[in-house]
């Protein structure tokens, strides 16, 4: 039965498979230096595309990263998710066999699920008709397989929820997982997200006019859009008392989260709704704006997103803004994994005492107003006790998580 009182929930394990490194530590080191994970696209033919750059993961070897999954039967996003989850469990110092006997599950976010498999199936259909579709590719398509891959790899028998709320999905997953652990319905949850670079998503953002040709420059006066990217990210959540009892390293506490839906426009964000999402997150976490030391922005680098996001922050925070930066300037936009990577970097910022930078920044857009500190180009030492992590998605789905140093 669930606990009668809410339990404090902490992050004790981190995992990352990204263009900036194949572990959480490697990713954090790259972010601190303001390095770029962007390179020419290899995963599909870019002929005809004006933008041929993305944040692809070139060094990922699923067979080396995974023990149980038959890698030929699972799509790339599922494999990325499972690999990141396996890292998080190891980082947390948990035994897989013990975890498989515990009340443990996963909640993973995504935007496009296994879009690379859909791309290949579409090519088969066009070339040879419906009957030519490869059954093994058809079986990979359901997005629910992303969380199922995590549970299968780790032998978890609890929930396996895949949340397809696009670019805010990992924050939804973290909030959902924290609720399960906090209420006692689960003792361990793995939360995060995964998506893969693919022609479908790349072409979609191009047609929307949201794709940069070469560099992502959040908050810069010359910003031109996003760069697509991929990766898998995972945070292991457990109750504070359990973590303390087993002597676990604690990165941060999940203080709370806020959700909202703009319910206005499919792709144009609404600053008022985002500001209300911020206020809900603060109320749920029991914090006030002046206590927030850092904001990991959604920060896509599109003209509309950045000004809308900063406007919302000003509405919620007033004239005094904490530092606000975007790791998408280095990683690219990892879609459903994006806010998961933001949460991971918040955990590292809290643990290691630094402000993550916004790379590629030459001149902050004056239209964003005075007092904005986007932490240009390289990390700065700072005590980060409370970090606010943003995730906003098409359809107006907004999700914000608040992470804090355990005291």
């Amino acid at each position: 039965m669930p606990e009668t009182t809410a339990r404090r929930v902490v992050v004790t394990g981190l995992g990352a498979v990204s263009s900036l490194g194949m572990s959480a530590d490697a990713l954090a080191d790259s972010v601190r230096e303001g390095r770029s994970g962007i390179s020419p696209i290899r995963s599909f033919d870019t002929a005809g595309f004006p933008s041929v750059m993305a944040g692809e993961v070139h060094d990922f070897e699923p067979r080396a990263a995974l023990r149980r999954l038959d890698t030929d039967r699972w799509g790339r996003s599922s494999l990325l998710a499972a690999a990141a989850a396996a890292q998080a469990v190891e980082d947390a110092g948990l035994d897989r066999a013990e975890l498989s006997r515990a009340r443990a599950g996963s909640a993973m976010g995504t935007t496009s699920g296994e879009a690379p498999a859909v791309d290949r199936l579409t090519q088969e259909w066009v070339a040879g008709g419906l009957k030519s579709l490869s059954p093994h590719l058809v079986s990979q398509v359901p997005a629910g397989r992303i969380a199922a891959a995590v549970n299968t790899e780790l032998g978890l028998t609890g929930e396996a929820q895949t949340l397809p709320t696009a670019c805010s999905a990992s924050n939804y997953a973290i909030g959902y997982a924290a609720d399960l652990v906090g209420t006692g319905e689960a003792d361990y949850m793995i939360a995060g997200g995964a998506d893969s670079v693919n022609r479908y998503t790349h072409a979609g953002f191009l047609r929307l006019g949201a794709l940069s040709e070469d560099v992502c420059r959040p908050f810069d006066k010359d910003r031109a859009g996003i760069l697509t990217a991929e990766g898998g990210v995972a945070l292991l959540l457990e109750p504070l008392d359990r973590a303390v009892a087993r002597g676990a390293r604690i990165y941060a506490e999940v203080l709370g989260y806020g959700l909202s839906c703009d319910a206005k426009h499919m792709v144009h964000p609404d600053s008022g709704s985002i500001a209300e999402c911020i206020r809900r997150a603060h109320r749920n976490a029991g914090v006030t704006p002046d206590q927030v030391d850092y904001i990991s922005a959604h920060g896509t680098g599109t003209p509309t997103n950045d000004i809308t996001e900063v406007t919302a922050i000003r509405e919620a925070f007033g004239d005094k803004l904490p530092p606000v930066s975007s790791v998408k300037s280095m990683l690219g936009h990892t879609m459903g994994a994006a806010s998961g990577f933001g949460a991971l970097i918040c955990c590292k910022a809290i643990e290691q005492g630094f402000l993550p930078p916004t790379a590629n920044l030459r001149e902050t857009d004056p239209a964003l107003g005075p007092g904005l500190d986007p932490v240009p180009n390289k990390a700065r030492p700072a005590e980060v006790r409370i970090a606010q992590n943003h995730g906003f998605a098409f359809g107006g789905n907004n999700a914000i998580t608040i992470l804090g140093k355990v005291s």
Side-chain angles (χ1 to χ4, degrees):
M1 292 293 291
E3 302 287 337
T4 56
T5 58
R7 304 188 293 185
R8 293 173 67 182
V9 180
V10 294
V11 180
T12 58
L14 299 172
V17 181
S18 78
S19 63
L20 285 175
M22 303 300 289
S23 70
D25 285 338
L27 170 62
D29 289 345
S30 294
V31 166
R32 292 186 72 153
E33 294 300 318
R35 298 175 193 150
S36 173
I38 305 304
S39 61
I41 293 170
R42 302 181 193 174
S43 59
F44 64 87
D45 183 1
T46 59
F49 281 94
S51 175
V52 298
M53 308 295 284
E56 287 185 320
V57 183
H58 298 308
D59 299 327
F60 181 48
E61 297 290 344
R63 288 181 177 85
L66 300 166
R67 299 183 197 173
R68 296 185 61 180
L69 291 183
D70 179 349
T71 57
D72 292 331
R73 296 181 57 193
W74 298 83
R76 183 171 176 83
S77 297
S78 298
L79 296 172
L80 290 166
Q87 287 182 22
V89 170
E90 181 177 356
D91 186 51
L94 290 169
D95 178 73
R96 282 193 180 202
E98 180 182 346
L99 192 63
S100 68
R101 294 190 295 269
R103 296 183 302 169
S106 65
M108 304 300 289
T110 192
T111 291
S112 300
E114 297 294 359
V118 175
D119 281 348
R120 294 195 293 274
L121 286 167
T122 302
Q123 293 169 17
E124 290 180 355
W125 195 338
V126 170
L130 184 60
K131 292 185 178 180
S132 71
L133 301 187
S134 301
H136 79 281
L137 288 177
V138 173
S139 70
Q140 291 178 11
V141 169
R145 284 173 62 86
I146 294 175
V150 171
N151 279 34
T152 301
E153 171 64 20
L154 297 171
L156 309 182
T157 57
E159 288 195 41
Q161 288 281 357
T162 303
L163 303 174
T165 47
C167 307
S168 59
S170 286
N171 265 353
Y172 273 86
I174 293 168
Y176 181 74
D179 281 347
L180 292 182
V181 174
T183 59
E185 294 183 49
D187 289 326
Y188 300 100
M189 285 293 293
I190 295 168
D195 263 302
S196 305
V197 165
N198 61 90
R199 179 190 296 270
Y200 160 75
T201 301
H202 201 74
F205 277 99
L206 174 66
R207 292 294 293 156
L208 286 169
L211 198 63
S212 172
E213 290 192 10
D214 51 7
V215 176
C216 179
R217 303 183 188 279
F219 312 120
D220 193 281
K221 70 178 183 63
D222 295 321
R223 64 190 184 277
I226 76 161
L227 291 174
T228 58
E230 65 183 358
V233 60
L235 289 71
L236 191 136
L237 276 53
E238 63 178 287
L240 173 61
D241 56 358
R242 185 180 292 264
V244 171
R246 68 181 188 87
R249 171 182 50 194
I250 298 172
Y251 289 104
E253 181 175 0
V254 182
L255 297 175
Y257 65 92
L259 309 175
S260 72
C261 182
D262 298 348
K264 287 187 177 181
H265 195 279
M266 191 62 201
V267 298
H268 194 295
D270 178 74
S271 62
S273 178
I274 293 171
E276 175 57 25
C277 189
I278 294 172
R279 289 189 286 266
R280 290 176 184 176
H282 288 176
R283 287 194 298 269
N284 185 263
V287 304
T288 55
D290 61 289
Q291 294 177 302
V292 177
D293 300 307
Y294 166 67
I295 296 175
S296 177
H298 189 55
T300 61
T302 63
T304 298
N305 174 90
D306 290 5
I307 197 163
T308 302
E309 184 169 13
V310 173
T311 298
I313 293 169
R314 291 186 184 280
E315 183 178 333
F317 280 79
D319 295 331
K320 188 176 180 181
L321 307 183
V324 180
S325 70
S326 172
V327 297
K328 289 184 180 70
S329 59
M330 297 164 275
L331 272 173
H333 195 333
T334 53
M335 306 298 154
S339 56
F341 281 116
L344 184 153
I345 291 300
C346 284
C347 288
K348 283 294 188 180
I350 290 168
E351 180 205 20
Q352 298 178 358
F354 71 95
L355 294 173
T358 303
N360 309 314
L361 190 63
R362 297 180 298 195
E363 182 179 347
T364 303
D365 187 353
L368 298 174
L372 177 67
D373 174 12
V375 196
N377 300 313
K378 195 169 183 179
R380 295 200 306 265
E383 182 180 22
V384 180
R385 297 195 62 83
I386 296 178
Q388 178 172 310
N389 179 47
H390 288 184
F392 311 135
F394 285 170
N397 288 313
N398 308 311
I400 294 171
T401 48
I402 308 289
L403 298 149
K405 182 173 288 188
V406 171
S407 57

